[in-house]
Amino acid sequence: MADSAPAATAPDTGNTTGGVEIVGVTKRYGDSIAVDNLSLSIQPGEFLSLLGPSGCGKTTTLRMIAGFEHPDSGDISISGRSVLGLPPYKREVNTVFQAYALFPHMSVAENVAYGLQQRGVPKAEQRQRVAEALDMVQLRRFADRKPTMLSGGQQQRIALSRALINRPSVLLLDEPLAALDRQLREEMQVELKLLQARLGTTFVFVTHDQGEALSMSDRIAVMRAGRIEQLDGPEQIYAAPASAYVASFIGQQNFVQGTVAAGGAAIDTDLGVIAGPWGGERVSPGGSAVAAIRPEFIRLESAGSTANGADARVLSVSYLGETLQVVVGAGEQTLLVRTPAPTAPSVRVDDDVRCVWSPDDVRLFATDGAPLASTHVITLPDRSGT
C-alpha cells in the first residue's frame, strides 16, 4: 500500500487556479489516525473522486481542504498558495455536505442567491444566475417555495445549486447525491459532469458509491485507513486494480481464496487450479492469495464441459432488463455470473452447469487480511439423498 500508485495523467490547464496540493498531511483524533501522511496533487479543472468505506479518511481529507479541520502536520495549498490557518470563508472553495443547511425562512430562490447577495452581485445578474442554477437541478418551478415544502432530495439539490452559483475555484462535494432517488441521481451525475466541464471548476467528490466515481471522475483515489491505495483513471482502476482491496471496491468481483502453486502463475483453490496474471504485489509459491473474476467474464456452459473453469449448480436466476444475473454454487463457494440477456443461456434453479472463464480475465492478488467487499461464501444444502 502506498500514498499514491502509478496514476493516470490528470488534466493540465497550464495554470494553478483551482489546483490543490496536499503534502504529507496527517490528522489524528486522539490515538486514532484518520489521515496518514497523505500526499495528493489535484490539477486545475480536474474531477477527482475520493472513494472508500466509512472511516477511510475521505471526508476528513475533504474537510481539511475546506478548512473545517486542520492537519496535525503537512501542508495544503489551493491555487498555488498554502491555506494553513485560513478560515473556510477565505478559501477559494465552496462545500456541499450531506446536511442541507438551508435557511427555512427564505424561498428556494433566496437560498440560492444568498452567496451572491453577500458578494454584492447586481440584482439583475442575481436573477439570471439563480434561474440558471435552478434549471440545472430541475427546480425552477419551485423558486418561490420554502425549502421545508420540498422533499429531502430536492433540498439537497438546492444546496448543490447554492454552492455552484458562486463558481468557486474548487467545489468540494461530500456525497451530495445520496438523498436522491436512483433515476434522478443518475441524471444529476451526467449534469454535474457536464457542468464541471463547462465551468472548468475543480471538483473533489467524496463517495462510497463506485458507480458514481466511475461515471464522473477524471481520476479516482481509492482510500484505505487514511492512505491512498490506488490513484488512477476509472478505466485503469476497473481493469487493472492494484490490490484485492481496490478490486473489491470497483465493480463486483468473485473472490476465490487459495495457495500459490509452484511456478507462481496460478493458485490452488477448492474450485481447482486458477491461473491468471498478478495484480499488484506477487506472492511466492505456498503463500496465500486470492483470485478475482468479474461476473461479466464468466460464461455458463452445459454440465460435462471440460473448458477451463469449475462445475456448479444454479442457485438463483434474476432478469435485470438488459442483463441476466445467475448465482451458482460450486462446493461452498458462490459465484455471481452476469451475461447480456439476449444471448444468455437458458438455465433454471438446480441446473448443473459449468462456469467457464479465460485466464486473461482473472487477476491474482496477495491477501492481507482486509475484508473483501464482494466475497460470498455459503454452505450449500446436502443433496446426496435427493
Side-chain angles (χ1 to χ4, degrees):
M1 180 170 61
D3 287 338
S4 59
T9 302
D12 184 358
T13 63
N15 64 72
T16 60
T17 302
V20 180
E21 291 284 341
I22 302 173
V23 181
V25 164
T26 295
K27 178 65 179 178
R28 295 181 176 85
Y29 296 102
D31 294 332
S32 176
I33 300 178
V35 176
D36 186 7
N37 192 30
L38 186 142
S39 293
L40 173 63
S41 179
I42 305 171
Q43 298 300 315
E46 180 175 16
F47 196 126
L48 183 132
S49 290
L50 302 176
L51 176 67
S54 298
C56 73
K58 58 187 187 295
T59 294
T60 300
T61 300
L62 194 83
R63 289 178 62 84
M64 286 192 290
I65 298 172
F68 296 109
E69 301 284 354
H70 304 286
D72 296 313
S73 61
D75 190 22
I76 299 174
S77 297
I78 298 176
S79 298
R81 300 195 308 175
S82 176
V83 294
L84 292 185
L86 285 182
Y89 67 90
K90 289 190 175 181
R91 303 188 183 197
E92 303 172 26
V93 303
N94 269 348
T95 307
V96 180
F97 292 110
Q98 294 183 55
Y100 312 133
L102 301 174
F103 299 113
H105 62 287
M106 293 183 179
S107 68
V108 168
E110 290 169 339
N111 266 279
V112 174
Y114 181 77
L116 300 179
Q117 293 173 349
Q118 296 300 107
R119 297 184 178 191
V121 175
K123 288 190 178 295
E125 183 179 346
Q126 285 185 37
R127 288 192 293 271
Q128 178 183 353
R129 288 173 62 176
V130 167
E132 291 173 352
L134 291 177
D135 280 342
M136 180 197 68
V137 295
Q138 304 174 36
L139 288 178
R140 189 171 182 176
R141 66 185 184 277
F142 300 121
D144 296 327
R145 297 191 187 182
K146 296 293 192 294
T148 53
M149 301 172 65
L150 304 181
S151 69
Q154 289 170 326
Q155 291 181 49
Q156 185 61 287
R157 289 155 64 196
I158 298 169
L160 178 62
S161 61
R162 182 176 62 182
L164 288 169
I165 201 170
N166 286 317
R167 297 172 184 172
S169 296
V170 182
L171 185 66
L172 308 174
L173 305 106
D174 189 0
E175 304 198 56
L177 310 183
L180 307 183
D181 61 56
R182 179 178 178 179
Q183 180 177 351
L184 185 54
R185 186 167 65 248
E186 291 175 350
E187 292 174 0
M188 283 300 301
Q189 289 171 15
V190 174
E191 292 296 331
L192 268 177
K193 183 58 180 175
L194 290 174
L195 180 71
Q196 185 263 343
R198 186 171 77 245
L199 296 179
T201 305
T202 304
F203 276 29
V204 184
F205 191 93
V206 162
T207 183
H208 66 271
D209 186 320
Q210 50 93 9
E212 285 186 350
L214 287 172
S215 67
M216 294 189 290
S217 309
D218 296 316
R219 290 189 301 164
I220 300 170
V222 183
M223 295 191 65
R224 173 185 181 186
R227 298 168 68 89
I228 294 175
E229 186 89 355
Q230 184 173 357
L231 174 63
D232 233 323
E235 183 176 352
Q236 292 78 16
I237 290 277
Y238 187 88
S243 67
Y245 175 85
V246 174
S248 74
F249 248 94
I250 299 293
Q252 289 188 290
Q253 293 277 11
N254 295 290
F255 289 104
V256 185
Q257 302 282 348
T259 303
V260 181
I267 64 174
D268 293 318
T269 76
D270 290 341
L271 302 185
V273 176
I274 299 180
W278 284 91
E281 182 182 357
R282 192 181 182 100
V283 178
S284 299
S288 296
V290 63
I293 314 170
R294 293 201 181 275
E296 65 267 28
F297 293 153
I298 300 176
R299 68 181 188 274
L300 299 179
E301 295 189 358
S302 58
S305 169
T306 58
N308 180 71
D311 293 329
R313 176 164 56 89
V314 175
L315 302 179
S316 72
V317 180
S318 302
Y319 177 69
L320 306 179
E322 62 185 19
T323 303
L324 188 73
Q325 177 174 287
V326 183
V327 179
V328 302
E332 293 187 348
Q333 176 83 38
T334 59
L335 298 175
L336 183 67
V337 182
R338 284 183 174 168
T339 187
T343 60
S346 177
V347 293
R348 296 177 298 177
V349 172
D350 280 341
D351 279 355
D352 291 319
V353 295
R354 186 164 179 83
C355 295
V356 175
W357 56 79
S358 167
D360 291 338
D361 293 328
V362 176
R363 288 295 180 271
L364 305 181
F365 296 103
T367 55
D368 58 7
L372 302 177
S374 302
T375 299
H376 305 288
V377 179
I378 63 171
T379 300
L380 302 179
D382 184 1
R383 292 199 305 159
S384 58
T386 61

